[in-house]
Amino acid sequence: MLVASFVFAIMGVCVKLASATSSTSEIVMSRGMVGVLMLYALARARGLSLKTLYPWHHAWRGFVGVTALWLWFFAIGRLPLATAMTLNYMAPIWIAAIVFTLGWWHGTRRFEWGLAAAITTSFAGVALLLKPTIHAEQWLGGVTALISGFLSALAYIQVKKLGQLGEPEYRVVFYFSASGVVAGLISGLVDSWLQTGELHVMHDLSSLDLLLLASIGVTATIAQIAMTRAYRYGAMLVTANLQYTGIVFSSVWGMLIWHDRLDLWGWSGIAIILISGVAATFYNARSSSSNASKKTD
């Protein structure tokens, strides 16, 4: 998850640079197209199969994941970036809420209050770092960002389920990338028809634009594979909590490239995020050791 968060932060830098000249449809479609090509080539080179026994599971993961992505871009356009990012980072809290609800409803799962507390603490660190603000006229963007975070949580839970079903990471990411291609293509055609009365997918792009779009696709694919593997093999709430490190990496890139400055509250937020992630990891390790000892006894 740490690798995924770091590479996602690099992808975010490329998206920010590309958004100056490329539309959201072009970014989403290019991101998916590069992922499809990379994973198809990987499968052919290693003799791996892209056929799946769970098409509807992949379809659901693709639907909620791509919808969350689109709502996320919509919210960014209508909210201060810090506010949109903070609300989107509520996904781990939604995951904890869903896990708690399912465990309570079925009475078959013990809820990890320590991990849930770590997730909530991490979100407090994000809020300190980003200092979100929202005004009355921005309520639609705020609601959209909240829904995006909730759908992201559903997507991550579905990734975990696909891993439990035995689906390899490359196949999960391949079908999600394919969903992005379809969504970006349809949206691009609709946008071009509404704006110009003609159908075209992409406008004329410079070599730098193409390089940025390719970089988005490569980094997104690598990060998605790392994230999928993390959710497949790791404890869900620990993995979710470590996602918060992504905002730390993004803040560092902001300071290096755009010369952003952090005040005392910002550095305090970074410290809280890091400490919470470490605490959650040690808590889970101790809990797993304790459970193993009880089974042995």
Side-chain angles (χ1 to χ4, degrees), residues 189-210:
L189 291 174
V190 172
D191 287 344
S192 66
W193 176 258
L194 293 177
Q195 293 177 10
T196 66
E198 299 178 357
L199 294 177
H200 59 267
V201 179
M202 302 181 75
H203 71 283
D204 293 333
L205 299 172
S206 68
S207 57
L208 178 58
D209 296 330
L210 293 174

Side-chain angles (χ1 to χ4, degrees), residues 209-255:
D209 296 330
L210 293 174
L211 178 61
L212 285 172
L213 291 177
S215 299
I216 291 170
V218 172
T219 52
T221 303
I222 295 173
Q224 283 284 338
I225 290 175
M227 184 199 70
T228 302
R229 187 175 184 85
Y231 273 103
R232 180 180 183 182
Y233 293 108
M236 180 175 289
L237 295 184
V238 172
T239 303
N241 190 55
L242 290 175
Q243 278 186 269
Y244 284 122
T245 57
I247 200 64
V248 178
F249 294 131
S250 297
S251 297
V252 172
W253 283 118
M255 289 185 288

Side-chain angles (χ1 to χ4, degrees), residues 73-107:
F73 282 124
F74 177 87
I76 288 178
R78 286 158 177 78
L79 290 173
L81 182 59
T83 302
M85 292 183 69
T86 303
L87 294 175
N88 185 259
Y89 264 75
M90 283 192 66
I93 295 180
W94 287 120
I95 290 176
I98 293 171
V99 169
F100 172 77
T101 302
L102 291 177
W104 173 79
W105 182 262
H106 296 290

Side-chain angles (χ1 to χ4, degrees), residues 9-92:
I10 298 175
M11 184 204 74
V13 172
C14 296
V15 169
K16 186 174 179 63
L17 294 172
S19 60
T21 54
S22 301
S23 67
T24 301
S25 299
E26 291 170 337
I27 293 174
V28 172
M29 186 178 65
S30 300
R31 168 179 165 164
M33 182 65 71
V34 173
V36 167
L37 294 175
M38 285 179 61
L39 293 169
Y40 178 77
L42 174 66
R44 288 295 300 269
R46 296 190 175 183
L48 303 173
S49 175
L50 291 172
K51 294 182 180 179
T52 179
L53 298 175
Y54 312 103
W56 292 111
H57 288 77
H58 285 287
W60 173 246
R61 188 269 183 271
F63 173 75
V64 294
V66 172
T67 302
L69 184 64
W70 276 106
L71 293 176
W72 159 238
F73 282 124
F74 177 87
I76 288 178
R78 286 158 177 78
L79 290 173
L81 182 59
T83 302
M85 292 183 69
T86 303
L87 294 175
N88 185 259
Y89 264 75
M90 283 192 66

